[in-house]
Structure formats: C-alpha cells, structure tokens
C-alpha cells in the first residue's frame, strides 16, 4: 500500500468538489432541465409529423450553460438550431413560467462539437491590458503622423520663405501683365 501525504482518496476529491455547490442551485438546475423538456415537448407544428416536432427538438438539443440571463443551447445539426430559433420566444416564455426564479432573457446556440461558450477564459485584467496596449499603439501612430505632417508643413513654409529664381519671377510677372491687359 502506498502512503504519501500528497495523495488523497477519491471520496475526499468528490466531497471537496461538491461542497461548493449549493443545494438551491442544484434544485433550480434540475427544475430548469425538466421545464426545458416539457416546454420543447409542447411544441407542435401544423406539418404532417408536427406532433413529433417538440420531441425531436428535445432529442437533438441540450442545455449547456446559463450566464447573465443567456441560456446556451447545443444542437447536433444547424437545422435544429434554426427550428429552435423559430420557437425561441415561445421557449423563453415557457422557461420563465416554469422556473421564474431563474433569470432567462435570451437563447444562444452552438453546434455540437464546437467550443463556443458564454464567457471568456481571459481575465478582465488581461482584457484591460490588451485594450490599453491597443490604445497606446494608436496614440503612437497618431503622434507619428502628426509629427510627420508638422515636419512637412514646416518644410513648405521654409520653401515659401526662399526667393524665387529670377527667370521664373520674370515669367510670372509677364503672365500677370498679360492677364491684366486682357481683362481691360
């Protein structure tokens, strides 16, 4: 028998994992799952096999997560997601009536096999850092652009202060004289 102070029994692991779960939360989740089942099963369409629509929706979808009032639902085919979207308002109303203590405002869908989630694994601090870095980069680009424009504008002003070549000045004077004479 191996005795190591770093090893813990399976019972201890399970007890540790379940001590943080509240009983009321488990009951609400179970009630939500039952209400999901009954709400979907109550959906019928006017099609030939319409009575089976709700049962098929339930068989091909499942609840994945609930966060900030958004219920994430997974379906095994895009067609079932589309059908669930058609009945979304009906489903939300049924869930609100069946489980009023659970706040559900909308449904989000994902296709089975994808990893879409309702929350990000990135911390808020990391998101803030990324945003600050982007802002800093944009400010640097603006400063550089502004500096370049000022330098170019300064170069233009310097060229304005320089005297014009004599032959060009004479040509422009003649042109000006000709234009004045024609306008009279």
């Amino acid at each position: 028998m191996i005795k190591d102070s770093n090893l813990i029994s399976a019972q201890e692991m399970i007890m540790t994992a379940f001590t943080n779960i509240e009983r009321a939360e488990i009951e609400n989740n179970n009630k939500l799952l039952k209400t999901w089942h009954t709400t979907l099963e109550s959906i019928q369409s006017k099609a030939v096999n319409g009575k089976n629509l709700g049962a098929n929706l339930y068989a091909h979808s499942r609840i994945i997560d609930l966060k900030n009032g958004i219920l994430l639902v997974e379906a095994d085919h895009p067609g079932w997601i589309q059908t669930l979207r058609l009945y979304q308002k009906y489903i939300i109303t049924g869930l609100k009536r069946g489980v009023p203590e659970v706040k559900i405002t909308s449904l989000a869908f994902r296709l089975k096999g994808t990893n879409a989630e309702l929350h990000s694994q990135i911390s808020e601090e990391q998101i803030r850092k990324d945003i600050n870095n982007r802002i800093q980069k944009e400010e640097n680009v603006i400063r550089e652009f502004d500096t370049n424009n000022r330098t170019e504008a300064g170069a233009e002003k310097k060229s304005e202060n320089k005297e014009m070549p004599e032959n060009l000045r004479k040509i422009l004077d003649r042109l000006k004289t000709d234009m004045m004479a024609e306008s009279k």
Side-chain angles (χ1 to χ4, degrees):
M1 179 182 262
I2 300 174
K3 290 200 175 192
D4 188 355
S5 61
N6 293 333
L7 296 177
I8 59 172
S9 69
Q11 178 185 2
E12 289 174 9
M13 287 189 329
I14 292 171
M15 291 303 291
T16 303
F18 286 105
T19 54
N20 295 329
I21 299 174
E22 294 183 29
R23 183 178 181 92
E25 189 176 334
I26 292 172
E27 289 173 3
N28 283 343
N29 289 342
N30 285 338
K31 193 173 179 183
L32 177 63
L33 291 173
K34 287 177 187 174
T35 305
W36 172 258
H37 184 231
T38 55
T39 302
L40 288 185
E41 293 259 333
S42 69
I43 296 174
Q44 296 181 3
S45 88
K46 295 178 182 178
V48 176
N49 293 332
K51 292 182 181 180
N52 296 330
L53 180 62
N56 286 332
L57 281 172
Y58 179 74
H60 293 278
S61 65
R62 68 185 181 121
I63 294 174
I64 299 297
D65 195 5
L66 172 64
K67 186 154 190 149
N68 299 327
I70 302 170
L71 187 68
L72 180 62
V73 178
E74 180 181 79
D76 57 15
H77 189 275
W80 293 118
I81 292 175
Q82 189 63 30
T83 306
L84 287 165
R85 280 194 177 121
L86 288 172
Y87 292 97
Q88 182 169 348
K89 194 171 186 178
Y90 177 84
I91 294 169
I92 291 172
T93 303
L95 294 174
K96 283 181 178 179
R97 287 182 183 160
V99 193
E101 59 273 11
V102 177
K103 180 186 164 201
I104 300 173
T105 56
S106 65
L107 301 177
F109 302 98
R110 80 174 189 192
L111 190 59
K112 187 175 183 177
T114 60
N115 294 325
E117 296 182 18
L118 291 178
H119 50 78
S120 175
Q121 298 295 333
I122 301 172
S123 69
E124 286 184 34
E125 183 179 333
Q126 183 61 42
I127 292 170
R128 284 191 192 109
K129 285 180 182 177
D130 290 346
I131 290 171
N132 285 334
N133 287 339
R134 287 181 191 167
I135 290 171
Q136 190 63 40
K137 285 179 185 177
E138 288 177 11
E139 286 177 351
N140 290 340
V141 168
I142 291 169
R143 270 192 223 106
E144 185 178 324
F145 180 77
D146 190 40
T147 304
N148 289 342
N149 281 346
R150 285 185 186 168
T151 309
E152 289 173 9
E156 287 174 15
K157 286 182 182 177
K158 287 179 185 176
S159 67
E160 287 176 9
N161 294 338
K162 291 183 180 179
E163 282 193 36
M164 202 179 314
E166 185 65 29
N167 59 352
L168 182 58
R169 191 175 52 77
K170 285 180 182 179
I171 293 171
L172 290 175
D173 283 340
R174 255 188 279 139
L175 184 59
K176 182 178 172 185
T177 308
D178 290 344
M179 288 174 67
M180 298 292 260
E182 288 180 13
S183 66
K184 289 183 183 177

